[in-house]
Amino acid sequence: FFVFVNFGLNAQCISGDCENGNGTYVFEDNSRAEGNWKNGKLNGKCKIFYTSGNYYEGEMINDLKSGYGLYKTKDSEVRGVFNNDKLNGKGRINFTNNTIYEGIFKDGMLNGLGKITIPDGSYYEGLFTNNNLNGKGVYVFNNGDKYEGNFKNSERHGDGIIYFLKGGTLKGTWLNDNYISGPSDDNTNVVKLEEINK
């Protein structure tokens, strides 16, 4: 996101106390920081106005986003708990194309329980690993059909069932998003197919 180094001749505190207090600092690239300072670093509630148009408002520790904050870019709005400049904990990302990520984040990516809503109205709710659908979850298509089951690398993979809006179900095993067989008690075929495709 940003690193405050090599301020240069044009970088300066333009108001208040930018060492130990509350002040406004303009950096060499004309980015501006307003807020609380401790030992010359942003600590506490702060605002950062970037020359790119990006904006951050929230808690900081030693020049890094840490605590609850809001980070805006031209493509997205991020709200949640930051740690070392990245979302870590509960958060939400609203993209300008109306895609929404929300849930538990680790190192800036969805990891754990979460939900992603797609602009066409479909959505997934369940387990994530590094922004990918991984584990058990529910995917609701924009036509009203619903898949409940296992996912791997954002594809249906393993046991699952589709509930069709018009009635009826399809239960069985998926491999890399393809339906391959009906229900299996021991899943022997799935294991063998996974091993072959590794």
Side-chain angles (χ1 to χ4, degrees), residues 20 24 43 90 94 116 128 131-132 141 156 161 168 186 188:
N20 287 290
T24 300
N43 280 279
K90 288 185 179 180
N94 288 42
I116 180 170
F128 286 82
N131 283 348
N132 285 311
F141 297 87
R156 291 170 291 183
I161 183 168
D186 59 9
T188 305

Side-chain angles (χ1 to χ4, degrees), residues 49-109:
F49 301 87
Y50 302 91
T51 51
S52 62
N54 295 353
Y55 168 77
Y56 175 76
E57 181 175 1
E59 298 289 330
M60 298 188 74
I61 298 176
N62 294 331
D63 286 345
L64 299 175
K65 300 178 192 72
S66 291
Y68 186 83
L70 162 68
Y71 183 69
K72 284 186 175 183
T73 72
K74 64 177 182 178
D75 300 316
S76 65
E77 180 178 293
V78 182
R79 291 178 185 270
V81 178
F82 289 81
N83 185 21
N84 291 327
D85 254 6
K86 294 180 179 178
L87 272 179
N88 278 284
K90 288 185 179 180
R92 178 182 173 112
I93 304 176
N94 288 42
F95 294 93
T96 51
N97 68 356
N98 292 323
T99 299
I100 300 171
Y101 283 48
E102 53 189 324
I104 304 300
F105 288 80
K106 183 180 178 184
D107 294 329
M109 291 190 283

Side-chain angles (χ1 to χ4, degrees), residues 97-101 116-124 139-140 142:
N97 68 356
N98 292 323
T99 299
I100 300 171
Y101 283 48
I116 180 170
T117 305
I118 314 296
D120 68 6
S122 57
Y123 67 89
Y124 166 84
Y139 192 99
V140 178
N142 61 357

Side-chain angles (χ1 to χ4, degrees), residues 158-161 170-174 179 181-184:
D159 291 336
I161 183 168
L170 177 65
K171 186 177 182 180
T173 301
W174 275 258
Y179 179 78
S181 69
S184 171

